[in-house]
Amino acid sequence: QVQLVESGGGSTQAGGSLRLSCAASGFNFNFSTYCVGWFRQPPGKEREGVAKILRGRDKTFYGDSVKGRFTISRDSAKNTVYLQMNDLKPEDTALYYCAAEPGGCRLGIKPTDFLYWGQGTQVTVDS
């Protein structure tokens, strides 16, 4: 069983920064072999793909709304994936989730492509 635990959420002013962490655990687990994504869900809206990082080469992809502001990275030794969020805007306010899928990533950043999910961490950006 794979468990994902997000942390690092909180409140900040517009223009501020936060770094989210997604710590993974499980029996005989190697997080570097998983495709990992970050998603967010504002109140009353659908879940949106924010970023993903591929296994192995650690190639990254981003949603259009966060390109140039957010960075996803992986520390394989710690079984942790990070989401560095800079120049935050009020529209970034949402519950942020990390998700993992064993093996390679599929095209796009779609919730249906990921098997394992964390419980989420709240990010609030005030104007």
Side-chain angles (χ1 to χ4, degrees), residues 8 14 16 22 26 31 34 41 54 58 76 88 97 103 106-107 119 127:
C22 173
F31 206 22
Y34 282 67
Q41 188 164 17
L54 276 63
D58 278 355
S76 296
L88 283 161
Y97 298 89
R106 300 183 185 183
L107 291 177
Q119 294 300 307
S127 58

Side-chain angles (χ1 to χ4, degrees), residues 25-112:
S25 62
F27 178 73
N28 198 24
F29 184 72
N30 183 354
F31 206 22
S32 65
T33 64
Y34 282 67
C35 174
V36 180
W38 281 98
F39 294 81
R40 65 186 182 186
Q41 188 164 17
K45 296 186 178 180
E46 292 187 353
R47 197 165 294 189
E48 172 193 14
V50 174
K52 71 177 181 183
I53 186 165
L54 276 63
R55 64 174 180 174
R57 295 171 298 148
D58 278 355
K59 190 172 183 179
T60 58
F61 296 89
Y62 298 92
D64 289 340
S65 61
V66 305
K67 282 180 182 177
R69 300 189 298 123
F70 290 12
T71 303
I72 187 171
S73 62
R74 187 198 306 263
D75 185 335
S76 296
K78 296 182 178 179
N79 275 341
T80 300
V81 169
Y82 302 97
L83 185 68
Q84 177 67 43
M85 305 185 296
N86 297 329
D87 190 23
L88 283 161
K89 304 176 181 181
E91 51 264 43
D92 294 318
T93 295
L95 188 60
Y96 282 72
Y97 298 89
C98 72
E101 173 71 15
C105 290
R106 300 183 185 183
L107 291 177
I109 313 173
K110 301 184 294 293
T112 51

